[in-house]
PDB file of all heavy atoms in Angstrom:
ATOM      1  N   GLY A1214     -53.293  16.110  26.519  1.00 88.00           N
ATOM      2  CA  GLY A1214     -52.904  17.529  26.537  1.00 88.00           C
ATOM      3  C   GLY A1214     -53.958  18.283  25.671  1.00 88.00           C
ATOM      4  O   GLY A1214     -54.744  17.599  24.891  1.00 88.00           O
ATOM      5  N   PRO A1215     -54.053  19.577  25.724  1.00 90.00           N
ATOM      6  CA  PRO A1215     -55.030  20.281  24.993  1.00 90.00           C
ATOM      7  C   PRO A1215     -54.935  20.110  23.429  1.00 90.00           C
ATOM      8  O   PRO A1215     -55.932  20.007  22.734  1.00 90.00           O
ATOM      9  CB  PRO A1215     -54.883  21.689  25.429  1.00 90.00           C
ATOM     10  CG  PRO A1215     -53.518  21.799  25.956  1.00 90.00           C
ATOM     11  CD  PRO A1215     -53.294  20.464  26.559  1.00 90.00           C
ATOM     12  N   VAL A1216     -53.683  19.987  22.943  1.00 90.00           N
ATOM     13  CA  VAL A1216     -53.532  19.823  21.500  1.00 90.00           C
ATOM     14  C   VAL A1216     -53.997  18.409  21.070  1.00 90.00           C
ATOM     15  O   VAL A1216     -54.653  18.222  20.041  1.00 90.00           O
ATOM     16  CB  VAL A1216     -52.148  20.201  21.095  1.00 90.00           C
ATOM     17  CG1 VAL A1216     -51.919  19.833  19.621  1.00 90.00           C
ATOM     18  CG2 VAL A1216     -51.715  21.623  21.368  1.00 90.00           C
ATOM     19  N   ASN A1217     -53.674  17.435  21.849  1.00 90.00           N
ATOM     20  CA  ASN A1217     -53.991  16.078  21.544  1.00 90.00           C
ATOM     21  C   ASN A1217     -55.573  16.011  21.668  1.00 90.00           C
ATOM     22  O   ASN A1217     -56.202  15.266  20.717  1.00 90.00           O
ATOM     23  CB  ASN A1217     -53.337  15.154  22.554  1.00 90.00           C
ATOM     24  CG  ASN A1217     -53.805  13.651  22.336  1.00 90.00           C
ATOM     25  OD1 ASN A1217     -54.227  13.004  23.154  1.00 90.00           O
ATOM     26  ND2 ASN A1217     -53.484  13.140  21.124  1.00 90.00           N
ATOM     27  N   ALA A1218     -56.179  16.639  22.596  1.00 92.00           N
ATOM     28  CA  ALA A1218     -57.644  16.598  22.688  1.00 92.00           C
ATOM     29  C   ALA A1218     -58.322  17.286  21.443  1.00 92.00           C
ATOM     30  O   ALA A1218     -59.293  16.818  20.911  1.00 92.00           O
ATOM     31  CB  ALA A1218     -58.099  17.281  23.950  1.00 92.00           C
ATOM     32  N   LEU A1219     -57.660  18.412  21.005  1.00 93.00           N
ATOM     33  CA  LEU A1219     -58.142  19.130  19.829  1.00 93.00           C
ATOM     34  C   LEU A1219     -58.057  18.214  18.646  1.00 93.00           C
ATOM     35  O   LEU A1219     -58.942  18.156  17.741  1.00 93.00           O
ATOM     36  CB  LEU A1219     -57.375  20.402  19.659  1.00 93.00           C
ATOM     37  CG  LEU A1219     -57.908  21.467  18.629  1.00 93.00           C
ATOM     38  CD1 LEU A1219     -59.280  21.926  19.080  1.00 93.00           C
ATOM     39  CD2 LEU A1219     -56.925  22.599  18.516  1.00 93.00           C
ATOM     40  N   ASP A1220     -56.966  17.505  18.463  1.00 92.00           N
ATOM     41  CA  ASP A1220     -56.741  16.562  17.397  1.00 92.00           C
ATOM     42  C   ASP A1220     -57.776  15.447  17.405  1.00 92.00           C
ATOM     43  O   ASP A1220     -58.428  15.162  16.274  1.00 92.00           O
ATOM     44  CB  ASP A1220     -55.370  16.006  17.462  1.00 92.00           C
ATOM     45  CG  ASP A1220     -55.060  14.992  16.412  1.00 92.00           C
ATOM     46  OD1 ASP A1220     -55.493  15.224  15.227  1.00 92.00           O
ATOM     47  OD2 ASP A1220     -54.375  13.981  16.645  1.00 92.00           O
ATOM     48  N   ARG A1221     -58.078  14.957  18.494  1.00 93.00           N
ATOM     49  CA  ARG A1221     -59.122  13.872  18.612  1.00 93.00           C
ATOM     50  C   ARG A1221     -60.483  14.370  18.362  1.00 93.00           C
ATOM     51  O   ARG A1221     -61.303  13.665  17.734  1.00 93.00           O
ATOM     52  CB  ARG A1221     -59.053  13.270  20.051  1.00 93.00           C
ATOM     53  CG  ARG A1221     -57.738  12.404  20.216  1.00 93.00           C
ATOM     54  CD  ARG A1221     -57.785  11.645  21.566  1.00 93.00           C
ATOM     55  NE  ARG A1221     -56.586  10.867  21.687  1.00 93.00           N
ATOM     56  CZ  ARG A1221     -56.362  10.069  22.718  1.00 93.00           C
ATOM     57  NH1 ARG A1221     -57.225   9.991  23.754  1.00 93.00           N
ATOM     58  NH2 ARG A1221     -55.245   9.308  22.778  1.00 93.00           N
ATOM     59  N   ALA A1222     -60.814  15.590  18.796  1.00 94.00           N
ATOM     60  CA  ALA A1222     -62.135  16.122  18.513  1.00 94.00           C
ATOM     61  C   ALA A1222     -62.298  16.382  16.971  1.00 94.00           C
ATOM     62  O   ALA A1222     -63.371  16.115  16.446  1.00 94.00           O
ATOM     63  CB  ALA A1222     -62.321  17.505  19.269  1.00 94.00           C
ATOM     64  N   LEU A1223     -61.241  16.886  16.370  1.00 94.00           N
ATOM     65  CA  LEU A1223     -61.263  17.131  14.883  1.00 94.00           C
ATOM     66  C   LEU A1223     -61.496  15.789  14.077  1.00 94.00           C
ATOM     67  O   LEU A1223     -62.278  15.718  13.199  1.00 94.00           O
ATOM     68  CB  LEU A1223     -59.997  17.810  14.430  1.00 94.00           C
ATOM     69  CG  LEU A1223     -59.924  18.103  12.918  1.00 94.00           C
ATOM     70  CD1 LEU A1223     -61.083  19.090  12.507  1.00 94.00           C
ATOM     71  CD2 LEU A1223     -58.555  18.882  12.701  1.00 94.00           C
ATOM     72  N   ARG A1224     -60.763  14.782  14.506  1.00 93.00           N
ATOM     73  CA  ARG A1224     -60.939  13.481  13.880  1.00 93.00           C
ATOM     74  C   ARG A1224     -62.374  12.962  14.102  1.00 93.00           C
ATOM     75  O   ARG A1224     -62.977  12.368  13.127  1.00 93.00           O
ATOM     76  CB  ARG A1224     -59.914  12.461  14.482  1.00 93.00           C
ATOM     77  CG  ARG A1224     -58.521  12.678  14.023  1.00 93.00           C
ATOM     78  CD  ARG A1224     -57.598  11.681  14.710  1.00 93.00           C
ATOM     79  NE  ARG A1224     -56.211  11.799  14.265  1.00 93.00           N
ATOM     80  CZ  ARG A1224     -55.659  11.032  13.302  1.00 93.00           C
ATOM     81  NH1 ARG A1224     -56.483  10.181  12.617  1.00 93.00           N
ATOM     82  NH2 ARG A1224     -54.480  11.139  12.864  1.00 93.00           N
ATOM     83  N   THR A1225     -62.863  13.068  15.287  1.00 94.00           N
ATOM     84  CA  THR A1225     -64.224  12.545  15.602  1.00 94.00           C
ATOM     85  C   THR A1225     -65.225  13.297  14.697  1.00 94.00           C
ATOM     86  O   THR A1225     -66.200  12.659  14.179  1.00 94.00           O
ATOM     87  CB  THR A1225     -64.594  12.797  17.046  1.00 94.00           C
ATOM     88  OG1 THR A1225     -63.660  12.090  17.888  1.00 94.00           O
ATOM     89  CG2 THR A1225     -65.979  12.329  17.398  1.00 94.00           C
ATOM     90  N   ALA A1226     -65.066  14.590  14.480  1.00 94.00           N
ATOM     91  CA  ALA A1226     -65.989  15.304  13.600  1.00 94.00           C
ATOM     92  C   ALA A1226     -65.890  14.922  12.190  1.00 94.00           C
ATOM     93  O   ALA A1226     -66.921  14.826  11.517  1.00 94.00           O
ATOM     94  CB  ALA A1226     -65.685  16.812  13.854  1.00 94.00           C
ATOM     95  N   LEU A1227     -64.733  14.662  11.682  1.00 94.00           N
ATOM     96  CA  LEU A1227     -64.493  14.575  10.267  1.00 94.00           C
ATOM     97  C   LEU A1227     -64.435  13.121   9.692  1.00 94.00           C
ATOM     98  O   LEU A1227     -64.773  12.915   8.488  1.00 94.00           O
ATOM     99  CB  LEU A1227     -63.246  15.251   9.789  1.00 94.00           C
ATOM    100  CG  LEU A1227     -63.296  16.802   9.994  1.00 94.00           C
ATOM    101  CD1 LEU A1227     -61.942  17.360   9.560  1.00 94.00           C
ATOM    102  CD2 LEU A1227     -64.378  17.455   9.104  1.00 94.00           C
ATOM    103  N   GLU A1228     -64.067  12.162  10.501  1.00 94.00           N
ATOM    104  CA  GLU A1228     -63.883  10.784   9.932  1.00 94.00           C
ATOM    105  C   GLU A1228     -65.172  10.182   9.382  1.00 94.00           C
ATOM    106  O   GLU A1228     -65.071   9.464   8.429  1.00 94.00           O
ATOM    107  CB  GLU A1228     -63.262   9.883  11.008  1.00 94.00           C
ATOM    108  CG  GLU A1228     -61.774  10.099  11.171  1.00 94.00           C
ATOM    109  CD  GLU A1228     -61.092   9.096  12.079  1.00 94.00           C
ATOM    110  OE1 GLU A1228     -61.751   8.060  12.455  1.00 94.00           O
ATOM    111  OE2 GLU A1228     -59.957   9.292  12.396  1.00 94.00           O
ATOM    112  N   PRO A1229     -66.372  10.509   9.892  1.00 94.00           N
ATOM    113  CA  PRO A1229     -67.594   9.887   9.273  1.00 94.00           C
ATOM    114  C   PRO A1229     -67.735  10.452   7.828  1.00 94.00           C
ATOM    115  O   PRO A1229     -68.351   9.747   7.017  1.00 94.00           O
ATOM    116  CB  PRO A1229     -68.677  10.453  10.150  1.00 94.00           C
ATOM    117  CG  PRO A1229     -68.102  10.615  11.529  1.00 94.00           C
ATOM    118  CD  PRO A1229     -66.732  11.085  11.221  1.00 94.00           C
ATOM    119  N   PHE A1230     -67.247  11.627   7.550  1.00 94.00           N
ATOM    120  CA  PHE A1230     -67.363  12.191   6.194  1.00 94.00           C
ATOM    121  C   PHE A1230     -66.148  11.828   5.357  1.00 94.00           C
ATOM    122  O   PHE A1230     -66.241  11.726   4.146  1.00 94.00           O
ATOM    123  CB  PHE A1230     -67.448  13.714   6.332  1.00 94.00           C
ATOM    124  CG  PHE A1230     -68.701  14.212   7.108  1.00 94.00           C
ATOM    125  CD1 PHE A1230     -68.650  14.381   8.482  1.00 94.00           C
ATOM    126  CD2 PHE A1230     -69.928  14.369   6.439  1.00 94.00           C
ATOM    127  CE1 PHE A1230     -69.731  14.790   9.156  1.00 94.00           C
ATOM    128  CE2 PHE A1230     -71.049  14.795   7.158  1.00 94.00           C
ATOM    129  CZ  PHE A1230     -70.969  14.948   8.487  1.00 94.00           C
ATOM    130  N   TYR A1231     -64.977  11.762   6.021  1.00 94.00           N
ATOM    131  CA  TYR A1231     -63.680  11.473   5.309  1.00 94.00           C
ATOM    132  C   TYR A1231     -62.990  10.339   5.981  1.00 94.00           C
ATOM    133  O   TYR A1231     -62.076  10.531   6.843  1.00 94.00           O
ATOM    134  CB  TYR A1231     -62.899  12.749   5.223  1.00 94.00           C
ATOM    135  CG  TYR A1231     -63.524  13.994   4.638  1.00 94.00           C
ATOM    136  CD1 TYR A1231     -63.892  15.039   5.441  1.00 94.00           C
ATOM    137  CD2 TYR A1231     -63.774  14.040   3.251  1.00 94.00           C
ATOM    138  CE1 TYR A1231     -64.525  16.141   4.885  1.00 94.00           C
ATOM    139  CE2 TYR A1231     -64.357  15.074   2.726  1.00 94.00           C
ATOM    140  CZ  TYR A1231     -64.752  16.176   3.519  1.00 94.00           C
ATOM    141  OH  TYR A1231     -65.311  17.268   2.935  1.00 94.00           O
ATOM    142  N   PRO A1232     -63.361   9.094   5.772  1.00 93.00           N
ATOM    143  CA  PRO A1232     -62.734   7.958   6.491  1.00 93.00           C
ATOM    144  C   PRO A1232     -61.282   7.846   6.156  1.00 93.00           C
ATOM    145  O   PRO A1232     -60.587   7.182   6.917  1.00 93.00           O
ATOM    146  CB  PRO A1232     -63.576   6.788   5.926  1.00 93.00           C
ATOM    147  CG  PRO A1232     -64.185   7.208   4.664  1.00 93.00           C
ATOM    148  CD  PRO A1232     -64.495   8.702   4.850  1.00 93.00           C
ATOM    149  N   GLN A1233     -60.787   8.504   5.155  1.00 93.00           N
ATOM    150  CA  GLN A1233     -59.345   8.441   4.821  1.00 93.00           C
ATOM    151  C   GLN A1233     -58.481   8.973   6.016  1.00 93.00           C
ATOM    152  O   GLN A1233     -57.320   8.741   6.078  1.00 93.00           O
ATOM    153  CB  GLN A1233     -59.058   9.246   3.534  1.00 93.00           C
ATOM    154  CG  GLN A1233     -59.651   8.664   2.273  1.00 93.00           C
ATOM    155  CD  GLN A1233     -61.072   9.161   2.016  1.00 93.00           C
ATOM    156  OE1 GLN A1233     -61.736   9.774   2.917  1.00 93.00           O
ATOM    157  NE2 GLN A1233     -61.623   8.956   0.814  1.00 93.00           N
ATOM    158  N   LEU A1234     -59.103   9.864   6.847  1.00 93.00           N
ATOM    159  CA  LEU A1234     -58.348  10.498   7.936  1.00 93.00           C
ATOM    160  C   LEU A1234     -57.860   9.431   8.912  1.00 93.00           C
ATOM    161  O   LEU A1234     -56.922   9.678   9.633  1.00 93.00           O
ATOM    162  CB  LEU A1234     -59.183  11.529   8.608  1.00 93.00           C
ATOM    163  CG  LEU A1234     -59.514  12.831   7.848  1.00 93.00           C
ATOM    164  CD1 LEU A1234     -60.421  13.699   8.661  1.00 93.00           C
ATOM    165  CD2 LEU A1234     -58.238  13.540   7.496  1.00 93.00           C
ATOM    166  N   ALA A1235     -58.503   8.270   8.938  1.00 92.00           N
ATOM    167  CA  ALA A1235     -58.120   7.217   9.891  1.00 92.00           C
ATOM    168  C   ALA A1235     -56.786   6.723   9.604  1.00 92.00           C
ATOM    169  O   ALA A1235     -56.064   6.168  10.481  1.00 92.00           O
ATOM    170  CB  ALA A1235     -59.079   6.071   9.847  1.00 92.00           C
ATOM    171  N   ASP A1236     -56.287   6.930   8.290  1.00 91.00           N
ATOM    172  CA  ASP A1236     -54.914   6.442   7.951  1.00 91.00           C
ATOM    173  C   ASP A1236     -53.750   7.503   8.351  1.00 91.00           C
ATOM    174  O   ASP A1236     -52.629   7.094   8.188  1.00 91.00           O
ATOM    175  CB  ASP A1236     -54.786   6.167   6.470  1.00 91.00           C
ATOM    176  CG  ASP A1236     -55.733   5.106   5.988  1.00 91.00           C
ATOM    177  OD1 ASP A1236     -55.958   4.140   6.767  1.00 91.00           O
ATOM    178  OD2 ASP A1236     -56.251   5.190   4.796  1.00 91.00           O
ATOM    179  N   LEU A1237     -54.221   8.689   8.770  1.00 92.00           N
ATOM    180  CA  LEU A1237     -53.190   9.688   9.023  1.00 92.00           C
ATOM    181  C   LEU A1237     -52.750   9.559  10.481  1.00 92.00           C
ATOM    182  O   LEU A1237     -53.510   9.278  11.385  1.00 92.00           O
ATOM    183  CB  LEU A1237     -53.800  11.055   8.717  1.00 92.00           C
ATOM    184  CG  LEU A1237     -54.308  11.291   7.331  1.00 92.00           C
ATOM    185  CD1 LEU A1237     -54.617  12.787   7.189  1.00 92.00           C
ATOM    186  CD2 LEU A1237     -53.320  10.827   6.296  1.00 92.00           C
ATOM    187  N   GLU A1238     -51.433   9.881  10.677  1.00 90.00           N
ATOM    188  CA  GLU A1238     -50.867   9.718  12.018  1.00 90.00           C
ATOM    189  C   GLU A1238     -49.917  10.977  12.267  1.00 90.00           C
ATOM    190  O   GLU A1238     -49.148  11.239  11.362  1.00 90.00           O
ATOM    191  CB  GLU A1238     -50.082   8.490  12.184  1.00 90.00           C
ATOM    192  CG  GLU A1238     -49.412   8.276  13.554  1.00 90.00           C
ATOM    193  CD  GLU A1238     -48.611   6.987  13.585  1.00 90.00           C
ATOM    194  OE1 GLU A1238     -48.453   6.363  12.520  1.00 90.00           O
ATOM    195  OE2 GLU A1238     -48.129   6.709  14.689  1.00 90.00           O
ATOM    196  N   LEU A1239     -50.054  11.513  13.409  1.00 87.00           N
ATOM    197  CA  LEU A1239     -49.122  12.616  13.844  1.00 87.00           C
ATOM    198  C   LEU A1239     -47.778  11.964  14.136  1.00 87.00           C
ATOM    199  O   LEU A1239     -47.664  11.166  14.995  1.00 87.00           O
ATOM    200  CB  LEU A1239     -49.636  13.362  15.087  1.00 87.00           C
ATOM    201  CG  LEU A1239     -48.787  14.557  15.606  1.00 87.00           C
ATOM    202  CD1 LEU A1239     -48.801  15.700  14.602  1.00 87.00           C
ATOM    203  CD2 LEU A1239     -49.364  15.011  16.928  1.00 87.00           C
ATOM    204  N   VAL A1240     -46.728  12.388  13.309  1.00 86.00           N
ATOM    205  CA  VAL A1240     -45.438  11.840  13.506  1.00 86.00           C
ATOM    206  C   VAL A1240     -44.522  12.643  14.349  1.00 86.00           C
ATOM    207  O   VAL A1240     -43.683  12.122  15.153  1.00 86.00           O
ATOM    208  CB  VAL A1240     -44.779  11.681  12.036  1.00 86.00           C
ATOM    209  CG1 VAL A1240     -43.436  11.097  12.244  1.00 86.00           C
ATOM    210  CG2 VAL A1240     -45.656  10.715  11.187  1.00 86.00           C
ATOM    211  N   ASP A1241     -44.685  13.994  14.232  1.00 86.00           N
ATOM    212  CA  ASP A1241     -43.751  14.828  15.076  1.00 86.00           C
ATOM    213  C   ASP A1241     -44.507  16.150  15.308  1.00 86.00           C
ATOM    214  O   ASP A1241     -45.265  16.654  14.495  1.00 86.00           O
ATOM    215  CB  ASP A1241     -42.455  15.098  14.305  1.00 86.00           C
ATOM    216  CG  ASP A1241     -41.333  15.605  15.253  1.00 86.00           C
ATOM    217  OD1 ASP A1241     -41.492  15.623  16.452  1.00 86.00           O
ATOM    218  OD2 ASP A1241     -40.324  16.075  14.761  1.00 86.00           O
ATOM    219  N   TYR A1242     -44.106  16.812  16.414  1.00 87.00           N
ATOM    220  CA  TYR A1242     -44.765  18.069  16.795  1.00 87.00           C
ATOM    221  C   TYR A1242     -43.726  18.922  17.491  1.00 87.00           C
ATOM    222  O   TYR A1242     -43.086  18.531  18.447  1.00 87.00           O
ATOM    223  CB  TYR A1242     -45.880  17.758  17.793  1.00 87.00           C
ATOM    224  CG  TYR A1242     -46.593  18.983  18.402  1.00 87.00           C
ATOM    225  CD1 TYR A1242     -47.644  19.537  17.742  1.00 87.00           C
ATOM    226  CD2 TYR A1242     -46.221  19.543  19.586  1.00 87.00           C
ATOM    227  CE1 TYR A1242     -48.320  20.676  18.209  1.00 87.00           C
ATOM    228  CE2 TYR A1242     -46.833  20.561  20.132  1.00 87.00           C
ATOM    229  CZ  TYR A1242     -47.900  21.179  19.470  1.00 87.00           C
ATOM    230  OH  TYR A1242     -48.557  22.255  19.956  1.00 87.00           O
ATOM    231  N   LYS A1243     -43.481  20.138  16.917  1.00 87.00           N
ATOM    232  CA  LYS A1243     -42.437  21.005  17.458  1.00 87.00           C
ATOM    233  C   LYS A1243     -42.994  22.391  17.666  1.00 87.00           C
ATOM    234  O   LYS A1243     -43.711  22.932  16.854  1.00 87.00           O
ATOM    235  CB  LYS A1243     -41.268  21.094  16.403  1.00 87.00           C
ATOM    236  CG  LYS A1243     -40.550  19.801  16.130  1.00 87.00           C
ATOM    237  CD  LYS A1243     -39.447  20.074  15.117  1.00 87.00           C
ATOM    238  CE  LYS A1243     -38.762  18.647  14.746  1.00 87.00           C
ATOM    239  NZ  LYS A1243     -37.792  18.815  13.709  1.00 87.00           N
ATOM    240  N   VAL A1244     -42.657  22.954  18.861  1.00 87.00           N
ATOM    241  CA  VAL A1244     -43.055  24.271  19.261  1.00 87.00           C
ATOM    242  C   VAL A1244     -41.878  25.205  19.410  1.00 87.00           C
ATOM    243  O   VAL A1244     -40.838  24.765  19.978  1.00 87.00           O
ATOM    244  CB  VAL A1244     -43.850  24.262  20.533  1.00 87.00           C
ATOM    245  CG1 VAL A1244     -44.275  25.674  20.885  1.00 87.00           C
ATOM    246  CG2 VAL A1244     -45.075  23.388  20.346  1.00 87.00           C
ATOM    247  N   ARG A1245     -41.933  26.482  18.895  1.00 83.00           N
ATOM    248  CA  ARG A1245     -40.815  27.321  19.070  1.00 83.00           C
ATOM    249  C   ARG A1245     -41.386  28.712  19.362  1.00 83.00           C
ATOM    250  O   ARG A1245     -42.249  29.167  18.691  1.00 83.00           O
ATOM    251  CB  ARG A1245     -39.910  27.376  17.825  1.00 83.00           C
ATOM    252  CG  ARG A1245     -38.821  28.374  17.961  1.00 83.00           C
ATOM    253  CD  ARG A1245     -37.786  28.320  16.775  1.00 83.00           C
ATOM    254  NE  ARG A1245     -36.803  29.305  16.967  1.00 83.00           N
ATOM    255  CZ  ARG A1245     -35.803  29.554  16.000  1.00 83.00           C
ATOM    256  NH1 ARG A1245     -35.844  28.815  14.967  1.00 83.00           N
ATOM    257  NH2 ARG A1245     -34.915  30.419  16.280  1.00 83.00           N
ATOM    258  N   ILE A1246     -40.815  29.338  20.398  1.00 81.00           N
ATOM    259  CA  ILE A1246     -41.094  30.736  20.734  1.00 81.00           C
ATOM    260  C   ILE A1246     -40.244  31.512  19.804  1.00 81.00           C
ATOM    261  O   ILE A1246     -38.975  31.412  19.708  1.00 81.00           O
ATOM    262  CB  ILE A1246     -40.812  31.084  22.181  1.00 81.00           C
ATOM    263  CG1 ILE A1246     -41.491  30.116  23.095  1.00 81.00           C
ATOM    264  CG2 ILE A1246     -41.139  32.445  22.491  1.00 81.00           C
ATOM    265  CD1 ILE A1246     -42.965  30.139  22.959  1.00 81.00           C
ATOM    266  N   LEU A1247     -40.882  32.467  18.965  1.00 76.00           N
ATOM    267  CA  LEU A1247     -40.170  33.127  17.951  1.00 76.00           C
ATOM    268  C   LEU A1247     -39.137  34.143  18.507  1.00 76.00           C
ATOM    269  O   LEU A1247     -39.416  34.838  19.463  1.00 76.00           O
ATOM    270  CB  LEU A1247     -41.111  33.791  17.031  1.00 76.00           C
ATOM    271  CG  LEU A1247     -42.010  32.791  16.235  1.00 76.00           C
ATOM    272  CD1 LEU A1247     -42.982  33.524  15.267  1.00 76.00           C
ATOM    273  CD2 LEU A1247     -41.190  31.748  15.441  1.00 76.00           C
ATOM    274  N   GLU A1248     -38.016  34.292  17.827  1.00 62.00           N
ATOM    275  CA  GLU A1248     -37.003  35.213  18.258  1.00 62.00           C
ATOM    276  C   GLU A1248     -37.467  36.617  18.289  1.00 62.00           C
ATOM    277  O   GLU A1248     -38.249  37.069  17.450  1.00 62.00           O
ATOM    278  CB  GLU A1248     -35.819  35.099  17.238  1.00 62.00           C
ATOM    279  CG  GLU A1248     -34.531  34.539  17.850  1.00 62.00           C
ATOM    280  CD  GLU A1248     -33.475  34.379  16.780  1.00 62.00           C
ATOM    281  OE1 GLU A1248     -32.902  35.385  16.346  1.00 62.00           O
ATOM    282  OE2 GLU A1248     -33.261  33.277  16.338  1.00 62.00           O
ATOM    283  N   GLY A1249     -36.980  37.345  19.309  1.00 55.00           N
ATOM    284  CA  GLY A1249     -37.410  38.744  19.387  1.00 55.00           C
ATOM    285  C   GLY A1249     -38.637  38.906  20.125  1.00 55.00           C
ATOM    286  O   GLY A1249     -39.068  40.025  20.434  1.00 55.00           O
ATOM    287  N   GLN A1250     -39.315  37.851  20.584  1.00 49.00           N
ATOM    288  CA  GLN A1250     -40.505  37.972  21.336  1.00 49.00           C
ATOM    289  C   GLN A1250     -40.209  37.488  22.797  1.00 49.00           C
ATOM    290  O   GLN A1250     -39.352  36.633  23.016  1.00 49.00           O
ATOM    291  CB  GLN A1250     -41.601  37.134  20.773  1.00 49.00           C
ATOM    292  CG  GLN A1250     -41.928  37.335  19.309  1.00 49.00           C
ATOM    293  CD  GLN A1250     -42.571  38.731  19.141  1.00 49.00           C
ATOM    294  OE1 GLN A1250     -43.315  39.172  20.022  1.00 49.00           O
ATOM    295  NE2 GLN A1250     -42.421  39.359  17.994  1.00 49.00           N
ATOM    296  N   HIS A1251     -40.919  38.056  23.780  1.00 49.00           N
ATOM    297  CA  HIS A1251     -40.614  37.765  25.174  1.00 49.00           C
ATOM    298  C   HIS A1251     -41.925  37.503  25.910  1.00 49.00           C
ATOM    299  O   HIS A1251     -42.950  38.132  25.656  1.00 49.00           O
ATOM    300  CB  HIS A1251     -39.867  38.908  25.753  1.00 49.00           C
ATOM    301  CG  HIS A1251     -38.599  39.227  25.093  1.00 49.00           C
ATOM    302  ND1 HIS A1251     -37.441  38.397  25.208  1.00 49.00           N
ATOM    303  CD2 HIS A1251     -38.189  40.170  24.207  1.00 49.00           C
ATOM    304  CE1 HIS A1251     -36.465  38.941  24.457  1.00 49.00           C
ATOM    305  NE2 HIS A1251     -36.940  39.990  23.884  1.00 49.00           N
TER     306      HIS A1251
END
């Protein structure tokens, strides 16, 4: 999906400079349309 692709692009860019990012994992992802908006 586009968000997963964005996440992978960000990791590809930064892991050579910050290898600690390899230990991080996305655990949960929640989206909500805010009340009062249509």
Side-chain angles (χ1 to χ4, degrees):
V1216 175
N1217 181 236
L1219 191 63
D1220 178 37
R1221 290 185 176 182
L1223 183 57
R1224 285 176 177 270
T1225 299
L1227 293 178
E1228 282 188 10
F1230 300 91
Y1231 303 109
Q1233 296 88 345
L1234 290 176
D1236 296 329
L1237 305 190
E1238 179 183 8
L1239 182 66
V1240 176
D1241 196 13
Y1242 176 86
K1243 298 176 182 176
V1244 178
R1245 180 174 177 182
I1246 305 301
L1247 297 181
E1248 247 177 73
Q1250 305 291 333
H1251 302 283

